[in-house]
Amino acid sequence: MDYSLSMEHEILRKSVRDFAENEIKPVARELDEKEEFSYDTMKAMAGLGLFGMFVSEEYGGQGMDYVSYIIATEEIARIDGSHAATIAAGNSLGIGPLYYYGNEEQKKKYLPKACSGETLWAFGLTEPNAGSDAGNTKTNAVLDGDEWVINGSKIFITNGSTDITAGVVALSKTGTRKDGRPELTSIIVEKGTPGFEARTMHGKLMWRGSDTSELYFDDCRVPKENLLGPVGDGFHQMLATLDGGRLSIGAMGLGGAQGAFDMALKYSKERVQFGKPISTFQVNSFKLADMATEIECARLLLYKACWLRDNEQPFGKIAAMGKLYCSEVMGRCVNHAVQLHGGYGLMKEYDIERFYRDHKLLEIGEGTSEVQRIVISRLIDAV
Amino acid sequence: MNILVCLKQVPDTETQIKVAPDSKSIVTDNIKWVMNPYDEYAVEEGLRLKEKFGGEVTIIGVGPTRVTESIRTALAMGADKGILVDDPALTGSDSLGIAKILAAVIKDLDYNLILCGKQGVDDDYGVVGSNLAELLGIPQISIVLKLEVSEDGSTVKAHREVEGGILVIEAPLPALITAQKGLNEPRYASLPGIMKAKKKPLDVKTISDLGLDAGQVGESGAKIKIMQITPPEERGAGKIVEGETPQEKAANLAKLLHEEAKII
C-alpha cells in the first residue's frame, strides 16, 4: 500500500492553496454579501488552469489525473464554496459531458475555449418537477426536418447564465422506451439560440458568489447534429456524469470541512476565557479531535474513489460514499466550528458564518444524501 | 540571456518551530518545507528577464531529496532546468560551505546573471549570495528592489534599499543579485506549468561529481558552529491604559511609553 501523493500533487496543492488565500479570500465575503459572480476571479482561476484539468492536451486541457482535479477543488473550497462550485460545475458538469460524449467536431469546437476558461458550459438536468426523480424529465425535443425543437424548463443550473456561458447541454425527452420509461437524450443548445433563455436565480442561502440559473426552452430549434451522443443515451450519460460530479462535490465537502477546522483551531487557540485558550478545555479539544479524525477519514475515502477512477476500476459505490460522507463531515465540522466561535460565529465578518450556510447544498445537490444512501444500498445488495 | 537562480528550501513560515533536545537544531518531523520566500522573487525576476531577452533559467538547489519539490515548483513556474546537489557529506554546511558548492556547480555553466534571495528565512545569515559572488570573482548587488538589464544585455542597474533612501548601482554582467521583497510579485505555478515541469531535466550531483572533497564542506568544513538555539521569549500580557477621558488616556499612554517602555 502507498498512501503518498506524487510530488506534482503536492506542488499543485500548494499553488492552488496560495492562489485561493491570496486571490479569493480577500473578495469572497463581499461577493457572498452582494450575491455576485466575479469575472475577475473567474479569469484568474482560468489563468491558473483550473478548467479542463482532466481533459487531454489536444483539446486544450491539462491532461491531469482525477486526483489532481479533486485536490484543486478541495483547496478552493477550503477558502470559498462559491468559487469551488464554479470550478466543480464547470469541469464535471460543463466540460465533462462534452469531453466524454461529444464527437470529434463538437470537442474541437467547444473544448479549447471551455478549457481556457474563456467560456463556461452548464448541464441542464434538474427541472421544477424532476429533482431526484430525473426520469420524470418533462423537457422534450422533437425532430422536425433537420432540427430538434425543444420545449420545457430547467432549474438550479450552475453556470447557466453568466456573461461567458457559451451554452448548455439539455437533457430532453425524445420519446418513450419499450419498457415505458422516457427516452432521454442530451442536446447541445448554444447561447443566443432563439427560444432559449437563461435567467439568473437570486435569493440563495448558499454559494451566493456562484451563478445559478433557470433555463427556458420555448420552441427552441437547434440543428440535428447538436445531439450529444446517440439518441436515448441521455439517462446513462447523466448517471455517469454524476458519478464523476459526486467526487467534486465530495471535494467541496472535504475542503470546506478543512477550512472550517482550520478556522476553528486558530480561533480557539486565540480566544481566552476563564484565563485560558478555549482550545485547552476538553469539551472543545475533543470537538477539534473529532473534526480532525473525520476529515482524515473523508480524505482517504475520497482519494480512494479518485484512485479507482484513475486506475479504471469501478468507483460508483465509493464515489457515492465519498460524496455522502464528505458532505456530512463538513456539516458536523461547520457546526462545531460555529459553536467554537460563539457569538462571533454568527456574524458575517467571520468566514465561518458563510461556511455554515454554504455547506447545506452539499447534502442536496448532485444527488441528495438520501439518494446517495439509495445508491449505496443497491450497490451493497441490501435492496 | 542565461540566468541561474540559487534556491533554498526552508520550513513553511506557518510551521511552529520546536528546538530539538540537543539545543543545537530544530525538530524536523512534520515540518512542511517550501521554497525560501526571497528565492521566489529571484525565480520570478529570472523568468521575467528570460521573457524579455530569451535564454534559459536554471535552478540550482543544495540539500536532501525533498529539495526536488521546490526545484520542480520553480520549473512549474517556468524555469527550464534544475540541478540539485545532494550528498550526505553536506550535512552541517555553513553559508560559506554552501557558497563553495554552488560555485563548483556554476564554474562550468554559461551564465550572464545569478539571482539569489537576500537571505534564507530559516537561519537568516544572508551571506550565501555575497560569498558566492566573491568565490566566482563577479560583481554583486544585494537587497535589490528593482532590476534593469541594459538592452544589449551587457550591464545591470539595480535599486538597492538603504536606510531612508534608494541607492542605484550599475555593474557589468555577469553579476550576482540578491532579491528583496518588493522586487516583483511571484507568479503561481500554473496547472499546465506543473505538467510541463514533469518533463524538464533535473540533474542530481554529488560533491565528488563537483570535484570537491568532504573536508571542504559539511560540518568538517564549516567555519562557524551553532552552540545553542533558544526559542524567543514568550510575549507578556498586554496592558489596558486607564483613564476617564480620551485626553487622560493619551496622557497616561505617553507616560507609560516614556517611563516604562522608555521609547519616547
Side-chain angles (χ1 to χ4, degrees):
Chain A
M1 266 170 82
D2 182 1
Y3 283 101
S4 58
L5 292 170
S6 74
M7 187 185 295
E8 282 72 29
H9 292 137
E10 299 290 356
I11 294 172
L12 168 80
R13 185 189 294 285
K14 166 125 184 36
S15 191
V16 179
R17 179 171 289 204
D18 289 349
F19 171 85
E21 300 246 1
N22 299 332
E23 314 297 327
I24 295 178
K25 196 174 185 177
V27 297
R29 197 181 305 156
E30 191 184 335
L31 293 170
D32 172 76
E33 182 77 26
K34 291 183 176 166
E35 204 173 25
E36 184 182 312
F37 179 92
S38 165
Y39 294 95
D40 291 339
T41 50
M42 170 67 205
K43 202 172 166 191
M45 294 194 297
L48 192 64
L50 293 175
F51 292 87
M53 286 178 259
F54 51 76
V55 173
S56 66
E57 289 167 36
E58 66 173 309
Y59 302 112
Q62 271 63 272
M64 293 181 135
D65 57 15
Y66 223 76
V67 178
S68 299
Y69 166 43
I70 289 313
I71 291 172
T73 308
E74 174 192 341
E75 287 301 327
I76 299 290
R78 183 178 158 269
I79 296 300
D80 184 49
S82 293
H83 284 85
T86 303
I87 289 169
N91 283 285
S92 289
L93 306 182
I95 291 170
L98 294 171
Y99 180 52
Y100 294 118
Y101 309 117
N103 59 36
E104 198 55 27
E105 201 182 319
Q106 290 165 339
K107 288 199 266 192
K108 286 208 168 108
K109 184 176 178 190
Y110 299 125
L111 286 175
K113 281 188 176 177
C115 294
S116 68
E118 226 174 302
T119 62
L120 281 168
W121 280 81
F123 186 56
L125 164 64
T126 303
E127 297 187 1
N129 293 310
S132 298
D133 184 10
N136 193 36
T137 295
K138 290 284 185 276
T139 296
N140 68 82
V142 179
L143 197 57
D144 179 23
D146 283 341
E147 290 175 328
W148 288 102
V149 185
I150 310 171
N151 279 288
S153 69
K154 300 284 177 182
I155 195 166
F156 308 134
I157 307 303
T158 307
N159 292 340
S161 63
T162 71
D163 295 352
I164 57 169
T165 300
V168 303
V169 171
L171 193 71
S172 314
K173 189 178 165 189
T174 46
T176 307
R177 297 195 320 195
K178 282 181 197 131
D179 60 6
R181 298 171 83 172
E183 174 194 81
L184 297 176
T185 302
S186 297
I187 301 176
I188 297 170
V189 182
E190 291 184 18
K191 187 175 170 177
T193 307
F196 166 53
E197 195 195 341
R199 283 186 213 153
T200 308
M201 296 176 77
H202 293 290
K204 286 186 289 180
L205 170 79
M206 54 352 100
W207 289 11
R208 291 167 56 85
S210 77
D211 178 80
T212 307
S213 62
E214 286 174 290
L215 311 177
Y216 296 93
F217 306 93
D218 183 12
D219 283 335
C220 173
R221 288 175 171 269
V222 300
K224 197 167 81 176
E225 55 271 20
N226 277 23
L227 269 188
L228 188 67
V231 168
D233 259 18
F235 196 75
H236 161 77
Q237 290 172 357
M238 174 203 70
L239 291 179
T241 298
L242 291 186
D243 272 348
R246 276 174 196 143
L247 298 177
S248 62
I249 295 286
M252 293 186 62
L254 174 60
Q258 184 71 55
F261 170 78
D262 291 348
M263 281 186 259
L265 182 64
K266 183 170 186 288
Y267 182 84
S268 56
K269 283 168 82 171
E270 287 167 5
R271 172 72 171 172
V272 174
Q273 291 286 277
F274 307 105
K276 285 201 298 193
I278 62 168
S279 68
T280 61
F281 299 128
Q282 196 178 60
V283 69
N284 292 332
S285 65
F286 277 19
K287 283 191 183 79
L288 292 161
D290 286 347
M291 289 161 82
T293 305
E294 289 205 289
I295 290 168
E296 195 65 30
C297 294
R299 185 169 286 120
L300 288 175
L301 186 58
L302 190 67
Y303 287 7
K304 182 177 175 187
C306 297
W307 181 86
L308 288 169
R309 189 191 161 110
D310 283 330
N311 286 280
E312 288 164 16
Q313 296 187 38
F315 67 98
K317 181 175 75 178
I318 307 291
M321 289 174 171
K323 195 267 183 189
L324 172 67
Y325 190 67
C326 290
S327 54
E328 294 195 349
V329 165
M330 185 181 175
R332 291 191 282 274
C333 285
V334 292
N335 190 38
H336 283 327
V338 168
Q339 193 68 24
L340 287 163
H341 278 75
Y344 296 104
L346 305 172
M347 304 303 292
K348 285 197 187 297
E349 65 186 283
Y350 282 80
D351 286 336
I352 193 63
E353 181 270 347
R354 187 175 79 251
F355 275 58
Y356 190 80
R357 287 183 285 108
D358 278 346
H359 130 264
K360 192 57 200 172
L361 183 135
L362 304 179
E363 293 174 356
I364 296 173
E366 292 202 38
T368 60
S369 288
E370 292 76 10
V371 164
Q372 304 310 323
R373 287 187 166 89
I374 292 173
V375 170
I376 297 163
S377 308
R378 285 178 185 155
L379 291 169
I380 59 171
D381 287 331
V383 286
Chain B
M1 171 158 299
N2 289 329
I3 297 156
L4 311 178
V5 181
C6 304
L7 177 152
K8 183 178 192 181
Q9 199 178 43
V10 296
D12 188 348
T13 44
E14 283 180 22
T15 303
Q16 215 164 7
I17 299 293
K18 291 190 183 120
V19 177
D22 70 358
S23 297
K24 290 174 186 173
S25 59
I26 59 167
V27 179
T28 52
D29 300 348
N30 297 320
I31 279 187
K32 219 174 93 200
W33 297 91
V34 298
M35 192 191 309
N36 177 38
Y38 291 109
D39 299 350
E40 286 186 34
Y41 303 120
V43 171
E44 177 63 34
E45 201 62 17
L47 296 176
R48 289 183 190 196
L49 289 169
K50 176 187 129 173
E51 279 155 12
K52 191 170 172 196
F53 291 96
E56 279 192 337
V57 175
T58 304
I59 308 295
I60 308 169
V62 179
T65 316
R66 61 173 157 76
V67 180
T68 312
E69 187 178 319
S70 293
I71 297 176
R72 287 266 176 227
T73 301
L75 297 180
M77 288 167 75
D80 299 280
K81 51 191 184 185
I83 300 169
L84 171 66
V85 184
D86 178 6
D87 196 310
L90 296 174
T91 313
S93 292
D94 62 3
S95 306
L96 184 59
I98 298 293
K100 280 181 190 163
I101 297 157
L102 290 170
V105 175
I106 291 169
K107 69 176 183 350
D108 297 326
L109 300 177
D110 173 29
Y111 65 93
N112 306 91
L113 184 67
I114 302 174
L115 293 162
C116 304
K118 77 168 172 115
Q119 68 192 83
V121 299
D122 49 358
D123 51 27
D124 283 330
Y125 292 124
V127 291
V128 169
S130 306
N131 286 346
L132 175 58
E134 285 304 308
L135 291 170
L136 294 170
I138 60 171
Q140 52 163 307
I141 311 175
S142 58
I143 320 179
V144 169
L145 279 168
K146 189 177 165 191
L147 193 65
E148 293 163 44
V149 173
S150 62
E151 287 300 323
D152 65 356
S154 66
T155 61
V156 64
K157 202 196 270 181
H159 291 223
R160 184 176 192 275
E161 199 174 36
V162 291
E163 180 82 35
I166 298 285
L167 209 56
V168 182
I169 303 172
E170 195 176 61
L173 292 179
L176 184 144
I177 303 293
T178 72
Q180 165 69 313
K181 182 179 182 170
L183 178 61
N184 53 46
E185 193 60 51
R187 68 194 67 188
Y188 302 101
S190 74
L191 276 60
I194 292 170
M195 293 304 278
K196 282 188 199 129
K198 278 169 122 172
K199 295 172 200 138
K200 291 179 179 175
L202 200 165
D203 284 348
V204 181
K205 292 180 190 289
T206 60
I207 57 163
S208 63
D209 293 337
L210 300 172
L212 293 168
D213 65 64
Q216 292 172 273
V217 297
E219 215 171 331
S220 51
K223 304 273 186 203
I224 60 166
K225 198 170 161 186
I226 293 173
M227 303 304 290
Q228 197 186 5
I229 297 179
T230 51
E233 267 182 49
E234 282 203 29
R235 229 192 306 172
K239 191 171 219 166
I240 293 171
V241 180
E242 304 289 340
E244 292 293 320
T245 62
Q247 288 84 349
E248 205 178 307
K249 283 183 187 173
N252 285 338
L253 175 63
K255 197 173 157 201
L256 286 170
L257 289 173
H258 182 65
E259 289 173 6
E260 279 192 24
K262 297 190 185 0
I263 56 171
I264 56 170

